[in-house]
Amino acid sequence: MTQRFPFIKRLVLCILLLGMSLSVCACGYRAKDPVAAYLEDQRVADLKLISQNPANHLPLQADSPQMTCAEQAVQFAAFKEFHFAPWQQTETSHSKEDAFWGTTAFPHTKGYAENLLPWSQEAMAQLVARQNMDAYPSMARHAITVRNSSLRVLPTVKPYFLSPVLPGEGFPFDYFQNSSVHVGTPLFVSHKSVSGKWLHVETAYATGWIPASDVAYVTDEQKALFMSGTLYALMHDDLALKTMSGEYLSTGFVGAVFPLSATPVPTGALKKSDSKHAENQQPACAECMQQCVSPCVGQLDVSNVQLWVPARTITGAAEFFSVPLVYADVAQMPVTFTPRALANLAKDIVGQRYGWGGLFLNRDCSSSVRDLFTPFGVWLPRNSGAQAAKGEEAVPLEGLTAEEKQEIIITKGIPFFSLIGMKGHIGIYLGYEPKTKTPLMLHDIWGVRTVDGDTVGRAIIGRLSITTLRPGEERRDVEKGDFYSKVLKLQIKPGTWALE
């Protein structure tokens, strides 16, 4: 027995080690990390192979203006007229049918709520009744947003999804989300819900229901002050807007616009080092813009500016506070439109998550383009189709082959200025890769269509990104040329949008 014991002991140990080894192998085989598997399934090579820094795709003439001084002056004049148009209204511009289009579009369509169960007819009927449609229009007042908000199709924060099992549907495609709205946006208020909790408003680019708590009513004097001030654009996202005494008012994003306060910034109130973007200061205008529009703030010996930002009193009236901001975070409009200026503006928001209709204060394709063009004084409509349709020269591409479309885009497109319009999508042309002549596009995209047998799905990109016009074609489940087939138009000079 004493001689056999070491042998038996070694045998048992070997069996245990072998069992553990087999267990580890079996577990690894049976239980592959589901997160890793999901991410692998969503892969799109463009995001790895192409630099996501717009500055790395700049053309040789990166500092050449994309518009003449005269063109940009015309655009900025039109921008201001569009932006403040709601304050010129004396009555609603929408019929009852147009204002409440969601009433007929959604209650009779099978939609799903936040629990991914269908909306009941009873719940939809209650929601429709909240609108007080018989009394429309019940108001005619001018107002302003006091925080970033959303325009909703019906007066609710609850979502309305189509079936989550359908490709490209379910989250995040909330069809009650019409558009996001920046703080400081002029509004015309035409109606209120039964409770008064929601207001039906018109902006210069979209309409819908907005929480009354996000809105403040302005006086004629306040409107005059806001409209006559020198306009400044925010050049970075997530800027805390605080009063001089440090009270938080709201958060600013690229695309927001505020007038210069008449109150000077006290010396030492802010330092350049207070801004994480101090090294990326933007010139407010080029030499020619001094002659055509206004003095060039970029040449003044200042590092801080103070802007008027609205807030809401307990009675719903607007009050304005002087908010100090480091000059590196803002720029006097219009900023000279050069490829480098657009690249600097875009680089900090590339990679931001996709937001259908501005959901969660993120951006979709058309709001990304709109916000990026705003600091340059170029007003664009909200919808991607309208953005691609208007301008000095729009080249139709529908019906052409991918090769023909590619040739037209790289021949006629203006890098960092032209827009590539697609079916339900839009992006900014950045130029092309020299060796392959592959066009590059800056766009906020949800995903790439995939087909695996009878199963149609999406390889999710879900962010503002730089891709070719063949994203995902290295995958076996992405049809070659499918993305190109959706390219309908090249908008060569969108910056010539003007009043009609």
Side-chain angles (χ1 to χ4, degrees), residues 128-133 155 191-198 209:
V128 169
R130 289 183 197 171
Q131 299 180 106
N132 195 24
M133 290 186 292
H191 190 55
K192 63 181 177 180
S193 64
V194 173
S195 67
K197 180 180 177 181
W198 290 84
W209 291 96

Side-chain angles (χ1 to χ4, degrees), residues 331-375:
Q332 182 181 331
M333 295 177 68
V335 176
T336 302
F337 204 142
T338 67
R340 191 181 306 280
L342 181 63
N344 287 339
L345 184 65
K347 71 178 182 180
D348 288 329
I349 62 175
V350 166
Q352 184 195 68
R353 295 167 185 155
Y354 176 88
W356 165 263
L359 197 63
F360 305 127
L361 301 182
N362 293 324
R363 299 176 175 91
D364 57 19
C365 62
S366 55
S367 60
S368 293
V369 172
R370 191 173 194 278
D371 284 351
L372 286 171
F373 274 58
T374 290

Side-chain angles (χ1 to χ4, degrees), residues 106-128:
F106 294 110
H108 304 294
T109 302
K110 188 175 182 180
Y112 294 75
E114 65 270 24
N115 60 357
L116 299 186
L117 295 176
W119 273 85
S120 67
Q121 288 296 321
E122 179 183 5
M124 289 299 299
Q126 292 174 354
L127 186 55
V128 169

Side-chain angles (χ1 to χ4, degrees), residues 258-277:
F258 303 96
L260 182 68
S261 165
T263 304
V265 180
T267 302
L270 290 175
K271 299 182 179 65
K272 290 185 180 181
S273 58
D274 291 337
S275 171
K276 63 182 178 180
H277 306 293

